[in-house]
Amino acid sequence: MGGFSTNNFKGFVLALLSSGFIGASFIIKKKGLRRAAAVSGVRAGVGGYAYLLEPLWWLGMITMIVGEVANFVAYAFAPAVLVTPLGALSIIVSAVLAHFILKERLHKLGILGCVMCISGSVIIVIHAPQERSISSVQEIWNMATQTAFLLYVGSVVVVVFILIFHFAPQCGSTNVLVFTGICSLMGSLSVMSVKALGTSLKLTFEGKNQLIFPETWFFMVVVAICVITQMNYLNKALDTFNTAVVSPIYYVMFTSLTILASVIMFKDWDGQSGGSIISEICGFIVVLSGTILLNVTKDYEDSSFRGIYHPPLSSSLSARLCSGNGELLKHDEENLVSSDEICLRRQELY
């Protein structure tokens, strides 16, 4: 079993705070959007911008930024194997607060999903590997330029280019795996760059200035490129397909690829026993299952409440993946979800 070091504990606490703030930000912003729509009579989903004058909406924005900063710092202290799966807890916070504040009823299976997410997170935390001690950004650069990780980066870049220039024009609007694949692949690289940049800044604040090294600025540029690309295609996916389909698929792909990238670059599992590694994988599968269950049941309840038709939960997955082109959502103008609400349905981004 991996030792729960001081750094791991700091990263764990920051990841929990991040999930709390981001989950709460969705509810605060949604209340702000509703209040602005009530005052102006125009919903954000149909082109209204009255929410920009609503203090509650800005409070939600600030809350979200605080959560993202906490998540950013968490990667500087703990391995991605620990931090990334904990992002699912923001879904629980959002669902519970929506139940009590927005009166959006949480399905009984959704409650089971929450319990599964918490249980899986506990398993991951108990068996998480220790964070490696890093003394300089050059050490991180050496990890990033090792042959195995360069092969991973090269594979990601090639696949992303193929998806963007070949598959996206042909079937991007009919197959959910295209857009989610792009943002998940880029997301795994963005997390590695965020961890590298966060560690560099942590060392700088400790008195070991890393800003004088070009590697630090290189990682900063990579973070910007990856995050912009990732968010662009995530928004495309959410705008085109049912959120109940996009959210769990994105969470699965993003988290799995991030853990794989971290294991290759930072060698998180080196020195761990086979039992600990298997326990972490099982914990991740439990969190994953809970996340899917919570997303699907919550969206089903929302659609019943709003009067929007979605494909029944019993329909085949392949049918939902290939034919959910979002047309069903686009014709009910009164029930359009604003881009702000959609973007805040984070399934970890980091």
Side-chain angles (χ1 to χ4, degrees), residues 170-177 179 235-243 245-246 309-311 317-331:
Q170 292 186 2
C171 55
S173 60
T174 58
N175 193 325
V176 69
L177 296 178
F179 291 150
N235 287 335
K236 286 178 181 290
L238 289 168
D239 186 55
T240 307
F241 300 95
N242 188 338
T243 306
V245 177
V246 174
Y309 174 76
H310 292 300
L317 179 60
S318 60
R320 298 183 69 184
L321 294 186
C322 298
S323 64
N325 60 10
E327 290 302 317
L328 295 171
L329 292 177
K330 294 176 182 175
H331 294 300

Side-chain angles (χ1 to χ4, degrees), residues 88-323:
L89 298 181
S90 65
I91 306 170
I92 297 178
V93 174
S94 177
V96 172
L97 291 179
H99 179 80
F100 290 104
I101 297 176
L102 300 178
K103 307 305 178 184
E104 296 178 356
R105 189 166 69 89
L106 184 61
H107 195 277
K108 290 181 179 179
L109 288 177
I111 297 175
L112 175 60
C114 291
V115 173
M116 292 174 66
C117 286
I118 294 172
S119 302
S121 298
V122 170
I123 296 172
I124 292 172
V125 168
I126 291 175
H127 296 278
Q130 293 190 32
E131 174 71 348
R132 290 185 57 173
S133 177
I134 298 174
S135 58
S136 69
V137 70
Q138 283 98 339
E139 187 176 342
I140 304 176
W141 180 256
N142 290 335
M143 296 177 188
T145 54
Q146 60 184 307
T147 303
F149 189 69
L150 287 177
L151 288 173
Y152 176 80
V153 173
S155 301
V156 166
V157 171
V158 170
V159 173
V160 165
F161 269 87
I162 293 174
L163 289 173
I164 290 176
F165 295 107
H166 180 69
F167 288 101
Q170 292 186 2
C171 55
S173 60
T174 58
N175 193 325
V176 69
L177 296 178
V178 176
F179 291 150
T180 53
I182 294 170
C183 57
S184 298
L185 287 163
M186 295 301 291
S188 68
L189 296 184
S190 70
V191 169
M192 296 304 99
S193 303
V194 161
K195 184 169 178 61
L197 181 59
T199 303
S200 299
L201 294 177
K202 183 185 76 168
L203 292 171
T204 299
F205 287 129
E206 290 174 351
K208 304 174 183 177
N209 187 11
Q210 304 296 306
L211 299 179
I212 59 176
F213 300 110
E215 290 88 349
T216 300
W217 298 99
F218 175 81
F219 285 126
M220 191 176 298
V221 171
V222 173
V223 167
I225 294 172
C226 290
V227 169
I228 291 172
T229 305
Q230 179 185 1
M231 292 309 302
N232 178 46
Y233 283 95
L234 179 58
N235 287 335
K236 286 178 181 290
L238 289 168
D239 186 55
T240 307
F241 300 95
N242 188 338
T243 306
V245 177
V246 174
S247 295
I249 291 176
Y250 173 63
Y251 180 80
V252 174
M253 297 176 68
F254 168 68
T255 307
S256 300
L257 290 168
T258 297
I259 291 175
L260 174 62
S262 184
V263 167
I264 296 173
M265 179 173 171
F266 292 98
K267 295 181 169 53
D268 291 330
W269 286 344
D270 279 15
Q272 278 204 294
S273 66
S276 293
I277 295 173
I278 293 174
S279 297
E280 289 169 38
I281 294 174
C282 290
F284 170 61
I285 293 173
V286 173
V287 172
L288 170 64
S289 303
T291 302
I292 294 174
L293 187 61
L294 182 57
N295 268 284
V296 172
T297 55
K298 185 175 185 299
D299 190 85
Y300 179 76
E301 289 296 323
D302 286 348
S303 61
S304 298
F305 175 76
R306 293 172 181 266
I308 305 175
Y309 174 76
H310 292 300
L313 296 179
S314 60
S315 61
S316 68
L317 179 60
S318 60
R320 298 183 69 184
L321 294 186
C322 298
S323 64

